[in-house]
Amino acid sequence: MLLSTVDHLTGQIHELDRLIARTLEEIATPHDGPGTGDEPATAVSARVLAERLDAVPGIGPTTAQIILAEIGADMSRFPTPEHLVSWAKLCPRTIQSGAKNTAGPAGQGNPWLKGALGEAANAAARTDTFLGDRYRRIVKRRGHAKALVAVARSILVIAWHLINDPDASYQELGADWHRRHLDPARKTRDLVRQLQALGHQVTLTPTAA
């Protein structure tokens, strides 16, 4: 009886996979989306979009399907990535009371989308990639939860660009991107501040060119 139940559930899973694959072929980006020239962009099926999203660290085939199911393939409703991030409730909310502004909780948002992005961010945090390095940089000063939200936000912004631009593809920047593009003056100030916090008096002497 247990084996029959397993066979029955396996058959249902295969049927659902077939229906999802068929639905992905039926859903496509708008024909009048952003193009490279005077001609409108060619419609792209959701199956192709799911394959693009699958290239992002942390996103697997199932997560890509969930993202497309929740936000769709038409990004005209979200003119900018910030609109999508705000709709998903992945940006801090500012609470104003008189002249005082404080940060508040972002809100609930779409639970299925936030759950999928949370799993993707958790997986990306363990990779040696740009997103993994972003997590490790933020977690040191903001904590695990806020670092995951920041990575989830970055993943959603990447997804917006991949869906909105028919010619876009994910390009890995590398785990050392921040170090390669770090402002030397800012890095110097941060290091001096850290040494002063440890009780040291710092005097900087530029090296000869």
Side-chain angles (χ1 to χ4, degrees):
M1 291 178 63
L2 290 175
L3 290 175
S4 298
T5 302
V6 171
D7 292 338
H8 173 68
L9 295 176
T10 301
Q12 287 188 319
I13 292 174
H14 290 163
E15 177 63 14
L16 290 173
D17 288 339
R18 186 187 66 81
L19 293 174
I20 291 173
R22 188 182 69 181
T23 303
L24 289 175
E25 291 293 346
E26 295 173 351
I27 300 175
T29 57
H31 289 274
D32 56 350
T36 56
D38 296 333
E39 295 295 328
T42 304
V44 180
S45 70
R47 178 186 60 80
V48 176
L49 297 178
E51 292 174 354
R52 291 183 187 175
L53 294 175
D54 190 17
V56 180
I59 296 182
T62 302
T63 303
Q65 294 171 1
I66 294 174
I67 292 175
L68 288 171
E70 299 305 325
I71 68 177
D74 182 6
M75 290 296 101
S76 62
R77 70 193 73 182
F78 305 114
T80 65
E82 288 73 21
H83 284 82
L84 177 58
V85 169
S86 178
W87 175 82
K89 297 294 188 292
L90 287 175
C91 58
R93 183 165 60 95
T94 302
I95 302 175
Q96 184 175 6
S97 178
K100 183 179 180 181
N101 293 329
T102 57
Q108 295 298 322
N110 185 311
W112 296 277
L113 178 61
K114 294 186 75 172
L117 290 174
E119 291 183 4
N122 201 29
R126 298 191 293 269
T127 62
D128 188 24
T129 61
F130 171 80
L131 292 173
D133 183 64
R134 176 167 173 75
Y135 168 83
R136 289 184 287 274
R137 291 176 65 250
I138 298 176
V139 73
K140 292 185 292 185
R141 64 180 189 275
R142 303 300 298 275
H144 173 71
K146 291 185 177 180
L148 282 184
V149 172
V151 174
R153 180 189 185 281
S154 297
I155 292 176
L156 190 57
V157 170
I158 294 172
W160 184 92
H161 286 284
L162 293 177
I163 297 173
N164 186 63
D165 187 350
D167 299 321
S169 61
Y170 179 74
Q171 302 293 328
E172 174 58 42
L173 298 178
D176 60 342
W177 187 90
H178 287 101
R179 289 186 291 274
R180 288 187 284 108
H181 294 78
L182 189 64
D183 181 6
R186 179 179 178 182
K187 181 63 175 179
T188 301
R189 290 195 302 269
D190 291 341
L191 293 175
V192 169
R193 192 179 300 112
Q194 293 176 24
L195 289 172
Q196 290 175 341
L198 293 174
H200 300 286
Q201 184 176 359
V202 181
T203 302
L204 299 178
T205 304
T207 59

